[in-house]
Amino acid sequence: MRPFDYQRARTLSDVASAAQQGAAIIAGGTNLLDLMKLEVMTPERLVDITRLDLKAIEETDDGGLRVGALVTNSDLAADMRVRTRWPVLAKALLSGASGQLRNKATTGGNLLQRTRCYYFYDTAMPCNKREPGSGCAAIGGFNRIHAILGASEKCIATHPSDMAVAMLALGAKVEITDRAGNDRTVSLDKFHLLPGDTPEKETVLEPGDLITGVVLPAPVQGRQIYRKVRDRASYAFALVSIAAVVDVKDEKIARADLAFGGLAHKPWRDAALETALVGKPVSEAAFDAAADILLKDAKPQGSNDFKIPLARRVLISVLKEATR
Ligand code: SF4
């Protein structure tokens, strides 16, 4: 690990001035410290934001919830409002990482965690995300955990978060403060980027931007499910995961808010799939048609070919459970 300077921020302006001098932001550090030890990321300066006042979970006037960026994954999963009104989020959080990691990992950091592509962490291998222009060892390599949707010729990595998948299905928004102190809000579906020609750019954040919170809208009518398929029952990233908020009225699907993990460079949501489901009678045929829409542009990479039938089966199974 290379030497670095460390500074503890007391205010947002401390963060802004440190960022202006090139400091990387650290909160729980559950991903960043690993990346620094492996010399995948080599910041010369860190600014620690854990003393900032961003740890509150507050109800909003319209029945939603504002989650401070420094709320830990454990605290958010244990919050009784989340457990009772947004249970898909509590379940997604508890399916991520391990108890120890969830005690340190924060809401903002969870959104910003880097891919778990093996080659990204191996500095002896080419990786366009770590070193733009060097190539992608996963294409033609071992790519069991990689993307089947939205990938590019530059990068086929997946986003590892469970929390973000549930938040996407719930229609969350991300609150951001820039280095000049200006606030803005970005829908979570626009926050993460597909790899395209610049896989090193993973979100809409600009240098000096700080996530200050995430806002969940008021819960909607419907059954909430989070299903995660992985190689181990614990402490493993999703091969395929689905967050679902599904409502049925008069035996027809009235709502189908669905987000997918393990399939793409970002938590994935497909408006065409949801539109196709809404208004349809609850039936295997409707579920099959939805899976066709989800997977129509899927591009497997060899070792991850299994994700296509797996995603189909998980989607149909989740829809059956949600509409029973
Ligand atoms: Fe790097 Fe992306 Fe290729 Fe993995 S898939 S080696 S992260 S460029």
Side-chain angles (χ1 to χ4, degrees):
M1 194 168 186
R2 296 192 196 172
F4 58 90
D5 290 335
Y6 170 87
Q7 174 193 354
R8 187 173 281 157
R10 302 264 169 206
T11 63
L12 289 177
S13 64
D14 288 349
V15 182
S17 64
Q20 234 150 10
Q21 294 164 51
I25 293 170
I26 185 165
T30 55
N31 190 201
L32 179 59
L33 290 180
D34 283 346
L35 290 162
M36 289 173 67
K37 288 177 195 166
L38 292 167
E39 299 193 357
V40 174
M41 292 178 72
T42 53
E44 291 180 356
R45 190 167 177 197
L46 290 183
V47 56
D48 178 346
I49 62 168
T50 52
R51 304 297 166 95
L52 297 183
D53 185 18
L54 298 172
K55 294 184 180 131
I57 306 176
E58 303 160 309
E59 292 181 52
T60 60
D61 292 342
D62 57 0
L65 201 68
R66 183 179 184 282
V67 182
L70 293 175
V71 173
T72 65
N73 291 177
S74 294
D75 285 347
L76 188 56
D79 187 278
M80 197 47 76
R81 294 161 294 188
V82 174
R83 290 176 62 185
T84 54
R85 293 162 63 198
W86 296 274
V88 64
L89 176 57
K91 187 143 185 231
L93 283 159
L94 291 174
S95 77
S98 64
Q100 292 95 329
L101 287 166
R102 291 194 295 270
N103 287 342
K104 291 297 288 179
T106 62
T107 301
N110 190 313
L111 293 177
L112 297 177
Q113 63 181 302
R114 312 294 303 274
T115 182
R116 263 55 180 194
C117 170
Y118 335 105
Y119 304 108
F120 176 66
Y121 288 77
D122 182 349
T123 53
M125 301 300 286
C127 170
N128 287 323
K129 186 181 284 296
R130 176 172 24 80
E131 194 182 335
S134 63
C136 172
I139 297 175
F142 184 59
N143 45 44
R144 174 176 167 74
I145 63 171
H146 288 74
I148 58 170
L149 295 172
S152 73
E153 289 175 2
K154 296 280 170 58
C155 178
I156 58 171
T158 50
H159 195 276
S161 174
D162 294 290
M163 181 197 82
V165 176
M167 286 181 167
L168 181 63
L170 293 169
K173 293 190 164 83
V174 184
E175 294 183 335
I176 299 162
T177 297
D178 71 13
R179 64 171 67 174
N182 301 311
D183 299 327
R184 71 183 193 279
T185 301
V186 177
S187 299
L188 189 54
D189 62 345
K190 298 202 166 49
F191 180 77
H192 293 103
L193 303 174
L194 289 176
D197 289 334
T198 54
E200 70 280 10
K201 174 115 176 103
E202 296 171 347
T203 70
V204 296
L205 292 183
E206 298 295 337
D209 281 351
L210 176 70
I211 296 175
T212 52
V214 174
V215 177
L216 303 177
V220 293
Q221 185 74 30
R223 190 159 183 191
Q224 299 186 21
I225 292 173
Y226 188 72
R227 182 84 61 86
K228 177 176 180 178
V229 178
R230 49 185 159 174
D231 281 329
R232 289 188 303 262
S234 168
Y235 198 33
F237 295 96
L239 295 167
V240 176
S241 68
I242 301 181
V245 183
V246 177
D247 193 29
V248 175
K249 281 197 178 69
D250 302 328
E251 310 213 349
K252 289 188 174 162
I253 299 166
R255 171 180 289 277
D257 297 344
L258 298 160
F260 300 83
L263 300 182
H265 197 257
K266 56 186 274 185
W268 189 262
R269 197 162 172 180
D270 186 330
L273 179 167
E274 296 178 19
T275 305
L277 276 170
V278 172
K280 293 280 185 328
V282 172
S283 67
E284 186 109 17
F287 303 161
D288 249 332
D292 287 345
I293 293 170
L294 173 70
L295 297 164
K296 71 178 184 329
D297 295 323
K299 190 166 172 238
Q301 300 289 337
S303 329
N304 70 354
D305 294 2
F306 70 95
K307 283 193 178 183
I308 292 183
L310 181 61
R312 171 178 291 277
R313 287 198 299 271
V314 179
L315 175 58
I316 291 172
S317 172
V318 164
L319 289 171
K320 279 184 181 168
E321 183 184 339
T323 55
R324 271 205 288 263

